[in-house]
Amino acid sequence: MAGDLEEPDTLMDAFDGVDILWLLTPASALEPSMGSNAVTARRKANVGYIVRNSAIKAGHDAPNRNGRLHASSRSR
């Protein structure tokens, strides 16, 4: 099953039966919403773990919004 990170309604079916989600999003203006969509759907689908790949400095003190969002979207 395919999902589209820009279409949150497609993600629940795509994540069905998934234990670990590897999340790699493009460096674009859409990345924050795409990442948030995936993290929200992952919680609803009861995916056990999420691994988020980032090529930028991810941290609460990152110099840009994208880096701070990566840090704040850790599994809760």
Side-chain angles (χ1 to χ4, degrees), residues 42-74:
R42 167 250 174 204
R43 288 186 185 121
K44 291 178 182 177
N46 294 316
V47 174
Y49 298 92
I50 185 170
V51 176
R52 188 163 192 182
N53 192 67
S54 175
I56 59 172
K57 179 186 175 198
H60 296 288
D61 62 345
N64 57 53
R65 180 175 180 258
N66 199 28
R68 292 187 298 275
L69 284 170
H70 276 225
S72 67
S73 64
R74 290 188 332 231

